[in-house]
Amino acid sequence: MTERQAFFGFLARVSKEGGLLLIVTLCAFMLLALLSYDPRDPGWSHLGYSGSVSNAAGLTGAWLADFSFSMVGYVAYLVPAMAIYRALWFLRQRDLGLSAALPYLFLRLLGAVLLVTSGAALASLHFSNQWLNLPFATGGVVGLNLAQQALTFFGLIGATLVLLPLLLLGITLFTNLSWFALAEGLGKLLLAGMVGIGAWFGHQNQRLGVKREQRRAIALSSRQAQSAPVNAAQNDRASEATRKPSLANNSVVERSKPSQSPAPRQTVNLGPGRAEPDFSDIDNLVEADPLLSGVDAPFDTVAMEPLAPAAVTPIEEPPKSPERHLKIVPLSETHQTKLDHEFDGDDGGSNGAPRRRETGKVMPRLALLDPPEAIKSQGYSPEQLESMSRLLEEKLKDFGVIAEVVEVNPGPVITRFEIQPAPGTKVSKISNLAKDLARSMAVLSVRVVEVIAGKSVVGIEIPNESREIVRLSEVLGSSAYSNANSRLSLALGNDIAGNPVVVNLAKMPHLLVAGTTGSGKSVGVNAMLLSLLFKATPDEVRLMMVDPKMLELSIYDGIPHLLTPVITDMKDAAAGLRWCVAEMERRYRLMSKLGVRNLAGFNDKVKAAEASGQPILDPIWNPLEQGFEEGTPAPPLETLSYIVVVVDEFADMMMIVGKKVEELIARIAQKARAAGIHLILATQRPSVDVITGLIKANVPTRIAFQVSSKIDSRTILDQSGAENLLGYGDMLYLPAGSSMPVRVHGAFVADDEVHRVVDAWKKWGPADFVEEILMANVDADYTNSGSAVGGGLFEDEQDALYDEAVAFVIHSRRASISAVQRKLKIGYNRAARMIETMEAAGVVTEASHNGTREVLVPPTMEV
C-alpha cells in the first residue's frame, strides 16, 4: 500500500467516524430538547412570547422541540432514536464503505418516512393530548391531516387497519427486522418459559406433599401419646376436688405433669389441663395448619376446644389498573331529601313551622301534594356509561372529530358527557352533528352545549332510557325553597344533576314562557303558581290571572289571593292591565313622597311608623276624587302587597285587543319592578308577531319549552337549542343578564293536587276583589301622559285630546286627519281614530270619493 492509499484510507475512516459522532451528538441534543419541552417556552407554533426559557437545550432546543412536536407529535421522540440506531449500526460495520451502503439508503429513508407518518397518524387517532399539552394534535400537523383523510375514506377501524401495516412495513425497511423470525423467536421463548414454569410447579407440589405427610404423621403420634394421660389426670383431679377441696394447688401440679417432656418447647394454652404439642422442628408450619382438620380419629378421643385464631396477614390481590380514567360525577343526593317533616302534617309550606295570621288561619301544608317517587331509577349504570363514552368517541371520529370523554354527569332525565376535542377543532362542527349523533346512537335527540362555564370542554346531553318524574313536592320540600326569603320564589324543577332550581321572580323581574302544545308549559305555570301559594299569604302577594282558554287558570277562581275573578274576556284583560298601569303610577307617587326606592323600603317604613305609634298618613289623599267631602282627613298608609299578573295565552289577547296590549305590557315591564308588579306571560305560539322585539327587550328572563324549529327557539332565547328538548316539562331557563340557558327538568303537578291546594286556600276566606279593575272608566291621570304611545291605551272618546280635536274641527271646519295631526302634534293613527270617532258621533260626515269630509255641527255650538 502506498502512502497515498494509506492517506485516503485514513481520511475515509476519520470522515466516517467523525460524521457518525456528529450525528450522535445532534440526536442527543434533540433528545435533550424533547425531554425538557415546556409549552410556555418560545417556539415555532406561537408568537409574541417574551420571558425566560426553561428548556435544558436553551432557546435553540425550545424552537427545535416545538417544531418537532408541531410536525409529528409524540413520534418526534422516535426521530433521534432512529438516527442513533442507524449511526451505531453503520459504525459497527467497519469494513462497510459508503459506496456499499448507498443502494440501501433509499429503502432506509422510505422506511423512516413510512414509520414516522403512519405512527403520527395512529397517534392522532388513538392517543390523548393531555400529557404534554402539545401545540397541535398528538400526531402533529402531519398526523392530524393524514388521520382526517383516513377517517374520511376508511372510517376509524378501516383507517387503523390501513395505517398499522404501513407502520410495520416502515419498521422492516428501516431496521431490516423480520416479523416472522421475531414471532418464531417469541414462540420458542414462550414455550421454554411454560416448560420451566411447569417444572417449578411440579417441584413445589412434591415438596408440599412430603411436608404434609410428615406433619400428619407427627400430629397423629403426638395426639395418641397424650390422650390417655390427659384423661387420667382429669379423673384424678375430679376425685381430689370432691374429697379435699383445699388441695387446689396439688391438683394443678397433677394437671401439669402429663404435659412435661424431656425437651423444652413452646406451649399454647388450649384450655384447662391441655397444651399444644411442639412442631417447631418442621419450620413452625403446623400452627393453624388447615390440613390437621381432616384427621378425625385421634381428635375424636379428646374433647378439643377450638384453637384461638392466629394472626395471619391476609394476602391482598393486586388491584387491577383501569383501562381508562373516566370521571363519573354521581347523581346529586337531592333525590334523597328528607321530606318527613313536610308530609307528616307539621309544615306550613315555608320556613319551618306553619305561618299564621292574627286570626289564627294556617297556610296549607305540603302534605296536600303527592309525595316524591319512593323508588327512583338511577339511569345508566357505570358500565353503560363507560360503553356509551367509548361509543360517543367512536361516532365522533366517524364524522371526523377527534375528542375524548373526560367527565360524565348522570341526571334524572338526561346524562351530560363532557368531551375534550382535539386542538383546532371548531365547536360549530360538533354542534352541526347533533342530529347525526342522535341517529347513530339511537336516541331521541342530542343537545350540544357549546360553552360550559369554568371548563374548556363541550357538553353533549343524551336522554336516559328511563326518565324520572320530578314531583313538585320534591322541589318545594328542598332546602333551596324552604330557605328562600322572598315571597315570590318560584320552583321550576331539577337541573341535570338532580339539584332543585328555585328562582326569585322579584329579581327577574318579569318572565316569558313559551313552548308548543304538549311541551309542559301549562304544568310549569301551575307549578309556579303553587310555589307562590305555598310561600305567601293574600296580604303579601295578590294575583291577577288572564285565561283566554277558560280551562287552565279558571281552577284558581275563588282563592283569596285574587284581585279580581279569573279574567276570560280579553276586553276585561285590557282593562285589568290599564288598572295595573294606574296602580303602578299611584305607588310610584307614594314612594316618591316617602323617599323610598322600592316596595320593600316602603313597607318597612310603614311598619316602622305603625310600631312607633305614629302611622304615616296618605300624602296623596284627595277626598273629592275618592267621593268624600272636602276636608275629610287622610287615612293612614298600609303596607302594599306584591302583584303578579299571569297571562296563560297572551297571543290570543293580542289578537283580539290588538296593539294596546303590547303597549300596556311594555309599559308595565319598563317601570313596574320597583312598584312590586310582575308579569308572567305564557304563549304556545312563539312567533315574531307575538313575541315582539318590544316585549323581548323589556322581559329579559325567558323559559323555552320544546319547540318545533330553530327559528322558534331563536325567537324565544335568541339562540337555538329548544328544538332538541325532550318535552313533558324539559325546559331551558335563561336568567336575566345571561346568555347561557340552564337546562331544567320541570316539576310535575297533577290537577288533583291543584284542586286540593285551591280548596285549602278557599277555607282561608273569601277573596277581597278590587271592583274598579274591570270598570271601563279608569282615571286618566294615572295612565295617560299625553304621548303618542299613551294615547292609544284608552277608548277613543276618553282620549284626553279628543275634546280639543272636536273643537278644532268645528271651529276650523276642516275634518282632515293631517290637520288634526299637525294641530295636536300627535301620530297619524291616533288622529285617524279621532276622526272616525267623530264620524260615529255625528260630528262629521263619511269620507267622499276624494277623501274629504263635511262638518255637521254648526260653529256656534259649544262642545
Side-chain angles (χ1 to χ4, degrees):
M1 179 182 295
T2 63
E3 294 182 359
R4 181 183 180 87
Q5 292 177 345
F7 173 75
F8 281 110
F10 170 76
L11 185 61
R13 181 176 59 82
V14 171
S15 301
K16 176 182 176 181
E17 294 181 358
L20 294 178
L21 290 177
L22 179 61
I23 292 175
V24 172
T25 304
L26 292 177
C27 293
F29 180 83
M30 186 176 179
L31 276 177
L32 179 63
L34 294 175
L35 293 174
S36 59
Y37 169 74
D38 192 335
R40 295 170 295 182
D41 288 343
W44 176 80
S45 62
H46 50 273
L47 301 175
Y49 181 88
S50 60
S52 60
V53 178
S54 59
N55 196 294
L59 182 62
T60 303
W63 275 77
L64 179 61
D66 186 80
F67 177 79
S68 301
F69 284 133
S70 299
M71 290 295 103
V72 293
Y74 289 126
V75 186
Y77 289 113
L78 290 179
V79 175
M82 292 164 57
I84 292 178
Y85 169 79
R86 295 309 308 177
L88 294 178
W89 181 87
F90 191 70
L91 185 62
R92 291 179 58 187
Q93 304 295 327
R94 298 183 179 273
D95 299 334
L96 182 63
L98 185 61
S99 58
L102 282 178
Y104 296 94
L105 183 60
F106 174 75
L107 294 178
R108 305 304 182 201
L109 291 177
L110 178 60
V113 172
L114 288 177
L115 174 59
V116 172
T117 54
S118 59
L122 288 172
S124 297
L125 288 175
H126 299 285
F127 290 99
S128 173
N129 193 12
Q130 61 182 357
W131 300 327
L132 293 180
N133 192 15
L134 301 181
F136 291 97
T138 52
V141 176
V142 175
L144 181 60
N145 292 331
L146 290 177
Q148 291 179 349
Q149 295 296 328
L151 284 174
T152 303
F153 289 102
F154 306 108
L156 178 62
I157 300 178
T160 304
L161 293 178
V162 170
L163 293 174
L164 189 58
L166 293 179
L167 176 68
L168 300 179
L169 178 61
I171 295 176
T172 300
L173 293 176
F174 185 77
T175 62
N176 200 22
L177 175 66
S178 175
W179 294 104
F180 296 102
L182 178 63
E184 184 180 357
L186 291 177
K188 292 180 179 179
L189 182 63
L190 180 61
L191 181 61
M194 293 177 63
V195 172
I197 293 174
W200 183 82
F201 273 111
H203 180 68
Q204 293 296 324
N205 290 335
Q206 185 178 3
R207 289 185 57 193
L208 290 176
V210 173
K211 289 185 178 181
R212 190 181 298 112
E213 294 295 333
Q214 292 177 353
R215 288 195 297 267
R216 183 179 289 110
I218 294 174
L220 289 175
S221 60
S222 175
R223 293 302 181 186
Q224 290 174 355
Q226 290 183 5
S227 60
V230 168
N231 291 334
Q234 290 178 350
N235 295 332
D236 294 342
R237 184 170 62 255
S239 59
E240 288 293 330
T242 303
R243 292 196 311 266
K244 298 179 180 179
S246 61
L247 299 178
N249 294 332
N250 294 333
S251 63
V252 173
V253 174
E254 293 293 333
R255 188 168 58 246
S256 61
K257 284 181 180 180
S259 62
Q260 294 178 357
S261 59
R265 60 179 179 176
Q266 298 178 354
T267 60
V268 178
N269 186 17
L270 298 177
R274 296 170 57 190
E276 186 184 33
D278 181 31
F279 301 132
S280 58
D281 56 335
I282 319 178
D283 301 329
N284 298 323
L285 294 177
V286 78
E287 296 179 5
D289 188 5
L291 295 175
L292 296 179
S293 60
V295 185
D296 298 330
F299 287 93
D300 289 340
T301 58
V302 181
M304 293 287 293
E305 295 184 4
L307 291 172
V312 180
T313 303
I315 301 177
E316 298 182 358
E317 296 183 359
K320 297 181 180 180
S321 58
E323 297 182 359
R324 60 184 286 124
H325 301 280
L326 179 62
K327 180 181 179 183
I328 300 178
V329 180
L331 186 64
S332 173
E333 297 180 358
T334 305
H335 295 285
Q336 302 176 1
T337 305
K338 295 181 180 180
L339 300 176
D340 297 337
H341 65 284
E342 283 85 357
F343 293 96
D344 60 4
D346 296 334
D347 188 21
S350 62
N351 304 336
R355 293 190 287 123
R356 302 170 181 264
R357 295 183 64 187
E358 291 78 1
T359 57
K361 298 177 181 179
V362 182
M363 295 179 62
R365 301 183 299 270
L366 290 183
L368 296 173
L369 301 177
D370 294 338
E373 302 294 332
I375 301 177
K376 290 183 173 290
S377 60
Q378 297 298 324
Y380 296 106
S381 64
E383 293 77 11
Q384 290 176 321
L385 293 177
E386 178 76 22
S387 176
M388 291 182 65
S389 301
R390 294 180 179 271
L391 178 62
L392 180 60
E393 292 176 353
E394 293 177 1
K395 297 303 179 183
L396 287 173
K397 288 181 181 178
D398 291 341
F399 295 114
V401 177
I402 301 175
E404 179 185 5
V405 177
V406 296
E407 185 174 322
V408 179
N409 297 274
V413 178
I414 61 103
T415 299
R416 174 183 287 178
F417 294 82
E418 297 182 358
I419 64 172
Q420 183 69 56
T425 303
K426 294 184 178 180
V427 70
S428 59
K429 186 176 182 180
I430 303 177
S431 301
N432 295 331
L433 296 175
K435 293 185 177 180
D436 295 325
L437 289 176
R439 174 187 53 80
S440 60
M441 300 192 71
V443 294
L444 179 63
S445 65
V446 169
R447 177 173 175 261
V448 178
V449 184
E450 297 180 350
V451 178
I452 300 178
K455 297 182 179 180
S456 61
V457 297
V458 178
I460 296 182
E461 297 176 350
I462 298 177
N464 294 342
E465 291 180 349
S466 57
R467 176 173 180 170
E468 296 182 7
I469 298 178
V470 180
R471 293 282 181 180
L472 179 62
S473 57
E474 179 181 349
V475 185
L476 297 185
S478 63
S479 59
Y481 179 81
S482 60
N483 295 335
N485 296 323
S486 174
R487 300 304 173 202
L488 298 179
S489 299
L490 303 180
L492 300 183
N494 289 347
D495 61 7
I496 62 172
N499 300 314
V501 178
V502 180
V503 297
N504 186 4
L505 181 61
K507 293 183 179 180
M508 290 184 182
H510 310 288
L511 178 61
L512 174 63
V513 182
T516 58
T517 302
S519 61
K521 173 178 56 64
S522 298
V523 176
V525 173
N526 284 331
M528 298 177 196
L529 289 175
L530 291 188
S531 303
L532 296 176
L533 295 181
F534 278 110
K535 201 71 174 178
T537 62
D539 297 333
E540 297 168 338
V541 174
R542 302 299 299 272
L543 299 174
M544 180 185 295
M545 300 185 184
V546 180
D547 185 12
K549 293 184 290 187
M550 297 181 286
L551 295 175
E552 300 296 341
L553 302 181
S554 298
I555 190 176
Y556 296 97
D557 212 349
I559 62 175
H561 295 76
L562 292 178
L563 285 168
T564 180
V566 177
I567 301 172
T568 57
D569 190 352
M570 293 303 98
K571 294 182 179 179
D572 293 339
L577 292 178
R578 286 197 296 268
W579 179 88
C580 289
V581 175
E583 178 66 14
M584 175 186 68
E585 298 292 346
R586 187 183 74 86
R587 292 188 175 193
Y588 271 118
R589 289 207 304 272
L590 284 175
M591 290 187 290
S592 175
K593 295 293 184 181
L594 267 64
V596 295
R597 300 185 59 182
N598 50 40
L599 188 66
F602 175 85
N603 290 336
D604 292 342
K605 198 164 187 177
V606 171
K607 291 178 182 178
E610 292 177 352
S612 63
Q614 297 178 353
I616 303 174
L617 300 180
D618 191 348
I620 62 173
W621 170 255
N622 189 343
L624 298 180
E625 292 181 357
Q626 302 297 328
F628 294 94
E629 297 180 358
E630 188 174 358
T632 304
L637 289 177
E638 297 180 353
T639 57
L640 299 175
S641 60
Y642 290 97
I643 297 176
V644 179
V645 181
V646 183
V647 183
D648 181 63
E649 182 55 73
F650 74 95
D652 186 69
M653 185 170 60
M654 291 182 62
M655 182 182 300
I656 296 176
V657 184
K659 284 292 182 180
K660 298 178 184 179
V661 172
E662 182 183 359
E663 296 168 357
L664 285 167
I665 292 174
R667 206 170 165 203
I668 295 174
Q670 287 171 356
K671 296 176 56 179
R673 181 190 63 83
I677 302 176
H678 305 277
L679 298 174
I680 298 179
L681 307 175
T683 181
Q684 63 182 2
R685 199 178 74 185
S687 57
V688 293
D689 58 336
V690 176
I691 307 177
T692 62
L694 185 62
I695 293 178
K696 291 174 62 176
N698 294 284
V699 185
T701 305
R702 303 161 203 163
I703 291 179
F705 289 87
Q706 186 185 35
V707 296
S708 57
S709 64
K710 291 183 179 180
I711 299 176
D712 294 340
S713 179
R714 292 192 183 99
T715 303
I716 307 170
L717 303 174
D718 295 326
Q719 57 184 294
S720 60
E723 72 279 1
N724 293 325
L725 297 178
L726 304 177
Y728 300 101
D730 197 13
M731 71 179 81
L732 289 178
Y733 167 64
L734 182 65
S738 173
S739 60
M740 299 302 300
V742 180
R743 190 167 187 176
V744 180
H745 309 305
F748 175 75
V749 53
D751 292 340
D752 294 340
E753 300 178 70
V754 179
H755 280 289
R756 291 196 292 267
V757 177
V758 169
D759 293 340
W761 270 116
K762 288 180 179 179
K763 298 177 182 178
W764 181 283
D768 184 14
F769 295 143
V770 181
E771 299 296 337
E772 61 267 19
I773 291 181
L774 301 183
M775 293 175 58
N777 239 338
V778 180
D779 192 354
D781 293 338
Y782 292 162
T783 55
N784 189 11
S785 59
S787 63
V789 176
L793 302 180
F794 306 98
E795 298 296 336
D796 297 322
E797 291 186 353
Q798 297 171 0
D799 196 313
L801 300 179
Y802 178 73
D803 294 338
E804 185 177 350
V806 173
F808 168 74
V809 169
I810 292 175
H811 289 289
S812 65
R813 315 302 294 176
R814 297 172 58 190
S816 172
I817 297 176
S818 59
V820 174
Q821 182 181 0
R822 290 192 301 269
K823 176 63 178 178
L824 302 182
K825 298 179 180 179
I826 60 176
Y828 177 84
N829 294 334
R830 189 177 181 186
R833 286 197 300 269
M834 289 182 180
I835 294 296
E836 292 174 356
T837 306
M838 293 179 197
E839 177 185 341
V843 179
V844 299
T845 62
E846 296 181 0
S848 60
H849 64 280
N850 57 359
T852 60
R853 298 174 186 267
E854 293 183 4
V855 182
L856 299 178
V857 179
T860 57
M861 184 176 180
E862 295 182 358
V863 179

